[in-house]
Amino acid sequence: MPAKSAVKKRSFDIRNVLMVFILLFFLAIIVYPLFLVVVKSVSTKTGLSLENYRKILLSSANMKAFWNSLWVSSVATLLCVTAGAGLAMFVVRTDIPGKSWLKMLLLLPYGIPPFIGAMAWAQLFGPVGYVSRLYTNLTGAFSAPWNIYSAAVVVIVLAVYQFPVVFITISGALGKIDTSLEEASRMSGAGPLRTLIDVTLPLITPAILASSLLAFVGCISNFGIPALLGFRARFFVLTTRIYSALAIPDMTLATAMAVLLAVTAGIPLLLAKRLERRSGKFTVISGKSVRPQTIKLGIWRIPIFAVVLTIALFAGVVPLLSMIITSFLTYWGAPLNSANMTFDHYKYILNLPMAVRAFRNSAFLATLAATITMFIGALVSYMSLRAKMKGAKVLDFMGTIPYAVPCVMVAIAMILAWSKPPLVLYGTIWVILAAYLVRYMPFSIRTTNATLQQVHFSLEEAARVSGAGWAQTMKDVVLPLIKPGLVAGWILVFMPALRELTISVLLWSQGAETLGVVIYNMQDAGYTQIAAALSTVVLFVILSGNAIVRKLSKGEITI
Amino acid sequence: MAKREKRIEVLNLVKQFGDYTAVNNVSFKVYENEFFSLLGPSGCGKTTTLRCISGLEEPTAGEISISGQVMTSAEENLMVPPERREIGMVFQNYAVWPHMTVERNISYPLRLAKKSKREIAAKLDYLLDLLELQGLEKRFPSELSGGQQQRVALGRALSTDPKVMLLDEPLSNLDAKLREQMRFELKDLQQKTGISILYVTHDQVEAMAMSDRVAVMKKGDIVQEGSPHEIYENPKDQFVADFIGTMNFLPCTVTAKTDQGVNVRLGNGAEFGLDSGAERGDYILAVRPEDIVLGSEEGTDCEVDVRIFLGNLIEYRVRLGEDYLRVQTDASLRLEPGDQSRLMIKHGLIFPK
Ligand SMILES: Nc1ncnc2c1ncn2[C@@H]1O[C@H](COP(=O)(O)OP(=O)(O)OP(=O)(O)O)[C@@H](O)[C@H]1O
Ligand SMILES: [Mg+2]
């Protein structure tokens, strides 16, 4: 007797159509443009060759920028990893007071866009900056003995803004070490310090290495900081050099340098990935809930606390305050008293069509970028992780390629792909949207993968055997369970997109300005307070968004 | 005995993952009001078989019918989706939905079946009562103990009165005490409702305690099928003998055929008669610990090596020449390690070497 409602297997499946559609989309928006960059970088009048690269290597200005990128990123990495590991050690593993507060303060720079951070540092330590003025007032010197527009400051500011990631990774690893390993060392006769050096440090070495590599990549791909602090000193790194090349425009030079940058950033990324996979095999860092041993600091407790607190304040709170105060000052350099405070700059922004447009554009772009990438990300994750569809892994791979591509290269790829007919997007807001989709796709796929992995297979299967069809299962079980993750993921794309600078500064056009672009241009043109007022608003939005995500993810995710 | 209705029929089921064969030509039937267990070591294909029956996995070959209807047939390219098979299933990890209350979890299949509000409420009441979950209906799974979550999973599987229930090691995550209690409850439930249960476990004690029939699986094959008693008494081969209960294995030689069976000689030279039809030659003798009499007048010499108290029983490990044997006696016999004694083998099975 045949079943009443039998279904032939391998019938037409709507999911296959969807898969092909996404594949074409990824090919058009990610693979093709990036491919064009590589092709352009090796094309010369006479055909394909590495001539362009030879030219770069022979030009002293380009080579200089390359070396600058390398050393600036290396030193900044060294700085922030040393500080990150040290501070993580103190905050996680000693009896320093106010741990959770310190942790929060140390993580604050995470929420501050690097280019806004650079502006804040310029406000603090620049020629008429608050700290500089304090110094001249106190010492009677004519000017502060430092120059904010210099390579050294670029290094420091880069380190400050890469620091939180390093700190999170290392303190996470420290918190998860199986304490019995350390206790065993104590029982074998090693003191707390010996144990730290012989057992703890080796255990967190993979975390330290991985976060160093990622910090290096973050530094070398950064544009805002070397642009705002380095241009005036004519100190160029790869990203800013590419920016100048595009202004000429010299596409061949720009593409070749972008590929050079991508390779330089790609190698550490690959290494970090391998490290992650390898260290996964030593299961020394167990997920067990452990009560880490704390080292007693004794008489050093308070002095060390003071040092850590000062660092923490200067990394986040002080720049933030400086930004807010600046935005209310009547004129830049005015003495700090209530008579010199005004709302004028905010009123000015409201009446500045460009600023209003920038808000609208950024909100529009960020909303679309977050919605589209999360939607596609969820589909790709579902197809590759759940439906286990053949070929979905390819989608997952394609979608995550841009993770290894620096923003400047994404922007160049968009220019190459979308400034010729049949589809001319360059010069409109849509080219920025396209770039954002490329840029944020990997992040979306990652969050949706992680979210979906938390929903055990059997929860879905239980719905199926309970009598729910595929669509019903999605609606009743899968979606409700992944919703918080999706919302958090959406905000995690929306926030960085809202204040994005590197891509939009290369792709904007009249009428298609983003917040990042307007702030950058205002600051560059010397309208410090207008830039500060805009930044304050952006910071307010970002920090509130961060609070929402923390709440949604129960503190597991921060922007 | 009246002819009983077949509830599950699995015919020549094969499931391959790539070129790895997880289930290799398995066939069995589960009848109405029957508790049937698939028993086997980890990785032998139990879960895979269960998932093929539920429709969550598509078999490579074979046919599966539920309540007389063909649900899966690889040959005819037929695959009824899981939601239309009208079975209840309890997953190994319960799979109760964390975003739904106890009440909603249990009533979910009913709501899908578009039952009336009154009907749902009545059913819910009955199930909460049956599973002793009253008062917990508004709680979320995270606010329940493991045993309670499991009962919710059971309730959900039972809610639509399926004639067939599939249970995948549902007790494996519970502590020993709760596990025993749940065994009784499950068996009780099955008898009360008359449903057919296909139970998957690697715990032979569990399978023995609850099942009407057991199928022992090994590397994707069913090696033996029968009542727990049959399998315990007459394991078909050394694997089953080893897997079911405790068994001693000794090398032995059949020296002669007699009227009662055969004469068997052990490694230490001891000879005795055994009920068997084996030809002369070298074999493996399988003896259960309770089939050995220790401290007997006659029999072969042995030496007590280790003693373990099991409450009402005592288990000894004794040395017999080169071999060691586990022996169970009642608590009245007290021997110390190092004591010399004698033992007699009452019953044993002979397997080829
Ligand atoms: N989706 C899959 N892909 C590949 N191999 C699989 C898959 N599912 C199961 N297997 C393999 O098939 C074999 C049987 O798996 P199955 O889950 O049925 O074992 P089991 O008898 O339920 O074991 P356990 O008692 O450990 O649950 C195993 O070797 C397993 O590795
Ligand atoms: Mg299993």
Side-chain angles (χ1 to χ4, degrees):
Chain A
M1 183 169 59
K4 50 192 167 193
S5 45
V7 167
K8 294 276 174 194
K9 57 184 186 185
R10 275 184 280 282
S11 59
F12 171 80
D13 191 341
I14 181 84
R15 294 178 297 183
N16 287 327
V17 181
L18 221 52
M19 200 158 91
V20 172
F21 183 77
I22 296 175
L23 180 73
L24 291 176
F25 181 71
F26 279 180
L27 281 175
I29 202 162
I30 298 172
V31 179
Y32 165 70
L34 290 176
F35 177 71
L36 283 185
V37 178
V38 179
V39 169
K40 181 88 187 173
S41 77
V42 291
S43 9
T44 50
K45 290 198 183 69
T46 53
L48 298 185
S49 82
L50 292 176
E51 178 61 20
N52 299 324
Y53 292 96
R54 206 176 65 89
K55 264 198 227 147
I56 297 182
L57 297 182
L58 287 181
S59 138
S60 65
N62 295 332
M63 269 322 271
K64 187 119 194 283
F66 182 50
W67 284 123
N68 283 342
S69 268
L70 284 181
W71 81 256
V72 160
S73 307
S74 305
V75 178
T77 302
L78 204 66
L79 212 62
C80 78
V81 171
T82 314
L87 289 173
M89 206 63 112
F90 280 120
V91 173
V92 179
R93 279 310 176 81
T94 65
D95 60 347
I96 200 167
K99 287 184 180 200
S100 57
W101 281 97
L102 283 179
K103 212 165 174 171
M104 218 171 72
L105 289 177
L106 284 168
L107 290 181
L108 190 60
Y110 206 34
I112 303 177
F115 72 98
I116 293 185
M119 285 162 49
W121 277 67
Q123 288 165 12
L124 287 167
F125 295 94
V128 277
Y130 303 114
V131 177
S132 310
R133 266 187 282 161
L134 188 68
Y135 178 86
T136 47
N137 285 349
L138 287 179
T139 59
F142 177 69
S143 68
W146 58 73
N147 179 12
I148 183 79
Y149 302 107
S150 65
V153 180
V154 170
V155 169
I156 294 172
V157 179
L158 276 174
V160 168
Y161 290 95
Q162 286 303 321
F163 166 82
V165 184
V166 178
F167 180 78
I168 291 176
T169 317
I170 296 179
S171 53
L174 270 176
K176 277 190 216 145
I177 287 178
D178 187 342
T179 359
S180 61
L181 295 171
E182 287 170 321
E183 284 161 0
S185 149
R186 298 295 297 277
M187 300 312 292
S188 318
L193 203 63
R194 254 280 56 90
T195 301
L196 188 76
I197 294 168
D198 288 349
V199 177
T200 317
L201 269 181
L203 285 178
I204 59 168
T205 303
I208 295 181
L209 280 179
S211 59
S212 320
L213 291 167
L214 293 180
F216 179 85
V217 175
C219 290
I220 207 167
S221 324
N222 187 285
F223 165 78
I225 293 171
L228 283 165
L229 300 176
F231 269 146
R232 283 195 205 182
R234 305 211 47 74
F235 176 76
F236 287 99
V237 294
L238 272 180
T239 50
T240 50
R241 185 80 191 157
I242 294 171
Y243 177 81
S244 313
L246 280 173
I248 299 175
D250 182 346
M251 279 319 262
T252 355
L253 177 62
T255 51
M257 295 233 289
V259 173
L260 186 64
L261 174 63
V263 172
T264 323
I267 293 167
L269 271 182
L270 269 179
L271 287 177
K273 191 145 189 180
R274 281 191 58 171
L275 205 66
E276 234 169 67
R277 219 178 307 142
R278 254 228 328 261
S279 62
K281 281 185 193 148
F282 294 86
T283 38
V284 284
I285 295 177
S286 69
K288 270 189 273 181
S289 69
V290 285
R291 181 176 28 86
Q293 268 189 327
T294 50
I295 298 168
K296 302 235 177 323
L297 291 174
I299 54 163
W300 292 102
R301 192 160 173 253
I302 298 306
I304 289 181
F305 171 73
V307 172
V308 174
L309 182 67
T310 312
I311 297 176
L313 288 177
F314 265 88
V317 178
V318 172
L320 204 64
L321 282 179
S322 142
M323 193 56 76
I324 296 171
I325 293 170
T326 306
S327 73
F328 286 110
L329 270 187
T330 42
Y331 61 96
W332 180 226
L336 291 180
N337 58 46
S338 56
N340 289 331
M341 295 292 162
T342 168
F343 276 105
D344 283 355
H345 308 304
Y346 289 93
K347 284 188 204 139
Y348 179 80
I349 295 174
L350 285 178
N351 292 316
L352 185 69
M354 187 170 65
V356 176
R357 236 179 7 242
F359 269 109
R360 224 182 25 228
N361 287 341
S362 280
F364 172 76
L365 286 168
T367 308
L368 276 186
T371 311
I372 297 174
T373 57
M374 284 309 287
F375 182 71
I376 295 179
L379 286 175
V380 171
S381 299
Y382 186 84
M383 288 191 264
S384 68
L385 293 178
R386 277 310 148 84
K388 305 247 182 230
M389 295 168 69
K390 290 201 186 76
K393 280 270 168 261
V394 176
L395 291 186
D396 188 283
F397 174 75
M398 273 187 190
T400 38
I401 293 174
Y403 178 68
V405 179
C407 286
V408 279
M409 182 154 163
V410 171
I412 295 174
M414 295 300 124
I415 297 173
L416 288 178
W418 310 119
S419 24
K420 298 183 291 277
L423 198 54
V424 183
L425 299 179
Y426 188 53
T428 71
I429 195 167
W430 303 110
V431 72
I432 304 182
L433 178 66
Y436 282 7
L437 294 182
V438 175
R439 169 77 185 141
Y440 297 112
M441 209 60 240
F443 298 91
S444 294
I445 292 182
R446 253 204 226 164
T447 5
T448 48
N449 276 350
T451 310
L452 209 57
Q453 267 157 356
Q454 283 167 3
V455 180
H456 198 271
F457 265 117
S458 59
L459 292 175
E460 238 172 279
E461 295 176 344
R464 296 300 298 276
V465 290
S466 296
W470 181 76
Q472 187 86 30
T473 304
M474 281 308 236
K475 181 175 145 284
D476 289 344
V477 174
V478 182
L479 276 179
L481 285 173
I482 64 173
K483 204 167 89 193
L486 290 187
V487 174
W490 191 91
I491 299 178
L492 283 177
V493 174
F494 180 84
M495 290 298 161
L498 192 68
R499 45 88 161 167
E500 200 284 332
L501 173 68
T502 315
I503 287 175
S504 45
V505 87
L506 294 172
L507 295 179
W508 73 281
S509 51
Q510 191 70 37
E513 305 91 345
T514 64
L515 275 174
V517 169
V518 173
I519 294 174
Y520 177 85
N521 286 345
M522 285 288 175
Q523 174 76 11
D524 203 39
Y527 299 106
T528 309
Q529 286 109 315
I530 307 293
L534 279 166
S535 303
T536 306
V537 176
V538 171
L539 284 172
F540 177 75
V541 175
I542 289 172
L543 294 177
S544 334
N546 198 346
I548 295 175
V549 176
R550 269 171 161 279
K551 217 174 153 86
L552 280 176
S553 66
K554 299 187 183 69
E556 271 164 37
I557 310 174
T558 43
I559 294 170
Chain B
M1 194 173 83
K3 191 169 181 320
R4 290 194 299 170
E5 195 184 310
K6 280 190 288 253
R7 287 285 170 72
I8 303 175
E9 184 167 10
V10 176
L11 247 173
N12 305 105
L13 179 70
V14 178
K15 174 66 191 177
Q16 289 171 333
F17 293 107
D19 47 12
Y20 177 78
T21 308
V23 176
N24 185 17
N25 205 13
V26 157
S27 304
F28 61 90
K29 300 183 184 90
V30 183
Y31 293 93
E32 64 183 297
N33 195 14
E34 186 175 44
F35 199 117
F36 187 94
S37 291
L38 283 178
L39 174 65
S42 184
C44 69
K46 306 178 299 281
T47 299
T48 309
T49 308
L50 204 71
R51 291 170 59 81
C52 287
I53 296 171
S54 63
L56 294 169
E57 204 84 64
E58 197 177 303
T60 314
E63 193 176 285
I64 293 163
S65 310
I66 295 172
S67 301
Q69 293 193 334
V70 180
M71 291 291 174
T72 302
S73 167
E75 285 68 32
E76 285 175 41
N77 221 14
L78 179 86
M79 178 88 181
V80 177
E83 64 269 23
R84 288 197 223 142
R85 298 193 174 205
E86 296 175 1
I87 48 177
M89 182 159 174
V90 178
F91 290 78
Q92 185 161 357
N93 60 349
Y94 317 148
V96 288
W97 298 302
H99 61 302
M100 297 188 195
T101 58
V102 167
E103 198 171 72
R104 284 186 72 81
N105 259 293
I106 296 181
S107 63
Y108 183 75
L110 294 170
R111 278 182 283 131
L112 285 180
K114 303 256 177 340
K115 294 280 194 275
S116 74
K117 271 218 169 67
R118 216 167 37 89
E119 232 175 316
I120 293 178
K123 192 79 207 179
L124 200 57
D125 237 28
Y126 166 75
L127 285 171
L128 290 172
D129 211 44
L130 181 75
L131 299 165
E132 291 172 25
L133 286 169
Q134 305 100 326
L136 304 179
E137 47 270 59
K138 298 282 179 231
R139 292 223 200 147
F140 284 94
S142 57
E143 302 159 339
L144 298 178
S145 74
Q148 288 165 340
Q149 287 184 30
Q150 194 207 2
R151 280 178 276 164
V152 174
L154 263 171
R156 182 177 63 193
L158 283 169
S159 63
T160 46
D161 295 320
K163 292 184 174 151
V164 171
M165 285 255 279
L166 309 177
L167 288 87
D168 191 356
E169 309 203 20
L171 307 184
S172 56
N173 291 345
L174 306 183
D175 65 58
K177 190 124 192 181
L178 193 56
R179 186 156 59 221
E180 249 166 65
Q181 185 194 336
M182 288 308 295
R183 271 184 208 156
F184 279 112
E185 287 181 17
L186 265 180
K187 182 72 193 163
D188 191 43
L189 197 79
Q190 187 257 329
Q191 282 169 346
K192 267 192 213 159
T193 50
I195 55 175
S196 306
I197 289 187
L198 175 56
Y199 194 90
V200 159
T201 181
H202 61 247
D203 180 345
Q204 49 99 8
V205 178
E206 198 164 288
M208 294 285 138
M210 295 198 287
S211 320
D212 298 313
R213 276 191 309 137
V214 176
V216 182
M217 287 187 75
K218 175 191 175 184
K219 291 188 185 149
D221 283 311
I222 290 185
V223 264
Q224 191 173 4
E225 194 187 310
S227 72
H229 187 74
E230 271 166 36
I231 293 182
Y232 190 81
E233 289 297 318
N234 275 308
K236 196 171 151 194
D237 61 15
Q238 209 180 326
F239 168 79
V240 179
D242 194 20
F243 197 71
I244 306 289
T246 317
M247 192 66 103
N248 293 297
F249 292 103
L250 298 167
C252 72
T253 313
V254 169
T255 50
K257 293 184 84 110
T258 64
D259 296 343
Q260 288 82 29
V262 293
N263 275 343
V264 173
R265 191 175 65 227
L266 293 182
N268 70 344
E271 255 194 72
F272 56 96
L274 209 61
D275 181 13
S276 169
E279 298 297 322
R280 292 168 59 139
D282 289 344
Y283 292 92
I284 295 285
L285 174 67
V287 189
R288 299 238 179 246
E290 68 271 21
D291 287 337
I292 301 173
V293 184
L294 188 61
S296 55
E297 293 291 310
E298 348 166 22
T300 174
D301 291 329
C302 62
E303 184 187 307
V304 176
D305 184 42
V306 180
R307 183 181 64 189
I308 301 162
F309 283 107
L310 298 175
N312 52 341
L313 293 174
I314 298 183
E315 181 167 315
Y316 291 98
R317 191 171 74 179
V318 300
R319 195 169 60 80
L320 192 72
E322 312 259 281
D323 305 309
Y324 288 88
L325 280 178
R326 291 167 70 178
V327 183
Q328 276 175 10
T329 69
D330 61 41
S332 60
L333 180 74
R334 290 296 174 93
L335 293 169
E336 299 294 326
D339 284 359
Q340 299 294 323
S341 185
R342 279 164 184 269
L343 63 76
M344 257 172 55
I345 292 173
K346 285 191 300 187
H347 177 73
L349 293 164
I350 284 177
F351 294 118
K353 242 182 151 135

